[in-house]
Amino acid sequence: MRILDTVRSTDLSLSFEVFPPKTDATFEEVLKATEEIAALKPSFISVTYGAGGKGGKYTLEIARTLQNTDGVETLAHLTCVGAGKEDISSYLQTLKAAGIRNIMALRGDLPEGMTPEDMKNSPYPHASDLIREIRKAGDFCIGAACYPEVHPESSVQAEDLRYLKEKVDAGADFLTTQMFFDNNLLYNFLYKLRETGVTVPVVPGIMPITKANQVKRALKLSGSFMPRRFTSLVDKFGSSPEAMQRAGIIYACDQIIDLYANGIRHVHVYTMNKPDVAAAIQNHLSGMLGRTF
Ligand code: FAD
């Protein structure tokens, strides 16, 4: 099934995300967590691609299991930083043979010491170049990343939006956002994006922060603005793991409910290999909306 059809759902639907292990040693553990998340039957599960282009084999193995054994629609991420034409072409063939038809196409974060200038000689300097290649390779449904708070490498939002439109013109069917903790940032971004003429669905990505030490990492990854309401919650509950997990889930559900009230119908949850968090989000929303997920 094309994920584009899922994200156009008429009532609130959720998808979850897992990330592959870095080594063989933790593969079984990650696979077990993935299968527990799959048992919750989300609309789809996305499987990230190891940073710096490493770990594609694990992404593939997990995506293949989800798609063919667990029967859950899968969105396999693929990054092009450090990848050659041959690498991408054979990876796409393997995805196709595994029955995976949905790809999140990304450039990926630049490895330490590398600058965007250094990427100029690469066959795929940007995600838009990868998207064009995937489009040529066959009938894939393609997602791309977007940044309500502007990508850290862009100096102004207008420039970021221009390049985002280029990704859609290259063939992206839908966009998924970087995490954000203040929904107004998303609404402002959507106004500006629609003004550029981009009409494809935008899927908000919500990250439940369930541990105080996740805050620093989330900030480093995304540069997201942390509203006072959120930081007070971490101040109050951060020292108690159970209380922090509950507070983080409630905050994420509050964001999801507000998105739903404002017309959003599909939300992607960065569940980070945590089946208990995924299940708690579903249960909490079920209680609030009076229906099961
Ligand atoms: P691009 O779209 O190429 O953009 C990167 C920067 O270049 C932006 O500043 C953009 O404005 C600029 N730009 C774009 N096109 C041009 C152009 N033609 N000329 C000049 N400048 C241009 N990382 C992983 O390693 N693995 C993952 O699985 C992964 N999944 C992600 C999923 C989502 C939903 C998001 C939001 C991010 C994810 N990331 C992942 C992180 C992502 O790879 C990084 O944010 C990376 O720095 C940018 O990737 P991109 O695809 O957005 O790049």
Side-chain angles (χ1 to χ4, degrees):
M1 192 207 245
R2 284 163 62 81
I3 278 173
L4 176 60
D5 299 324
T6 305
V7 302
R8 282 184 175 144
S9 61
T10 51
D11 203 356
L12 183 62
S13 60
L14 300 177
S15 50
F16 295 145
E17 181 156 301
V18 297
F19 62 89
K22 288 199 172 66
T23 61
D24 277 346
T26 48
F27 182 73
E28 287 304 321
E29 206 179 295
V30 172
L31 194 61
K32 182 171 174 285
T34 302
E35 300 209 301
E36 285 173 34
I37 293 177
L40 300 169
K41 297 284 169 220
S43 303
F44 66 89
I45 296 182
S46 70
V47 188
T48 66
Y49 198 84
K54 293 189 204 101
K57 91 170 176 176
Y58 298 117
T59 301
L60 185 64
E61 277 183 54
I62 292 172
R64 206 197 314 251
T65 307
L66 281 170
Q67 183 79 44
N68 300 321
T69 310
D70 300 316
V72 175
E73 200 53 60
T74 306
L75 174 64
H77 291 208
L78 174 60
T79 66
C80 57
V81 62
K85 287 240 169 206
E86 257 311 303
D87 304 321
I88 296 295
S89 156
S90 69
Y91 201 76
L92 292 175
Q93 290 310 319
T94 315
L95 285 177
K96 220 187 264 182
I100 294 159
R101 287 287 179 275
N102 299 287
I103 303 177
M104 173 60 74
L106 303 138
R107 183 198 67 185
D109 280 323
L110 300 177
E112 196 88 3
M114 195 171 179
T115 67
E117 255 328 276
D118 301 328
M119 282 295 286
K120 287 206 167 130
N121 297 324
S122 141
Y124 309 106
H126 287 288
S128 46
D129 303 296
L130 176 63
I131 292 168
R132 277 184 210 102
E133 192 74 55
I134 300 172
R135 226 350 117 234
K136 277 194 282 177
D139 185 25
F140 288 105
C141 173
I142 306 172
C146 65
Y147 303 84
E149 295 176 75
V150 183
H151 187 273
E153 285 166 35
S154 290
S155 42
V156 287
Q157 192 172 35
E159 176 189 290
D160 211 28
L161 286 169
R162 197 168 61 247
Y163 291 129
L164 182 54
K165 182 168 184 326
E166 194 177 316
K167 292 202 268 197
V168 174
D169 292 343
D173 294 302
F174 68 96
L175 302 169
T176 303
T177 75
Q178 181 58 283
M179 66 183 90
F180 55 90
F181 299 92
D182 176 350
N183 289 359
N184 288 324
L185 293 164
L186 177 84
Y187 304 138
N188 293 341
F189 167 75
L190 287 176
Y191 274 126
K192 291 180 186 162
L193 179 66
R194 297 311 183 204
E195 269 181 357
T196 69
V198 167
T199 57
V200 296
V202 175
V203 175
I206 295 295
M207 165 79 99
I209 299 279
T210 53
K211 288 192 175 118
N213 64 9
Q214 256 180 290
V215 175
K216 219 188 240 171
R217 192 172 144 66
L219 264 179
K220 185 167 174 255
L221 266 176
S222 65
S224 304
F225 164 68
M226 300 272 174
R228 185 86 194 94
R229 209 179 130 245
F230 180 75
T231 54
S232 332
L233 188 145
V234 180
D235 285 344
K236 174 78 183 157
F237 300 111
S239 57
S240 158
E242 298 91 64
M244 186 61 224
Q245 170 139 335
R246 269 198 304 273
I249 285 163
I250 290 170
Y251 191 92
C253 287
D254 216 38
Q255 276 194 281
I256 296 172
I257 290 288
D258 178 73
L259 291 167
Y260 179 53
N262 282 284
I264 301 285
R265 290 295 174 263
H266 186 83
V267 177
H268 188 60
V269 187
Y270 295 115
T271 42
M272 313 294 292
N273 300 359
K274 291 182 190 151
D276 55 335
V277 171
I281 297 255
Q282 280 186 333
N283 289 339
H284 198 77
L285 289 173
S286 295
M288 286 174 92
L289 297 175
R291 51 163 280 226
T292 47
F293 281 88

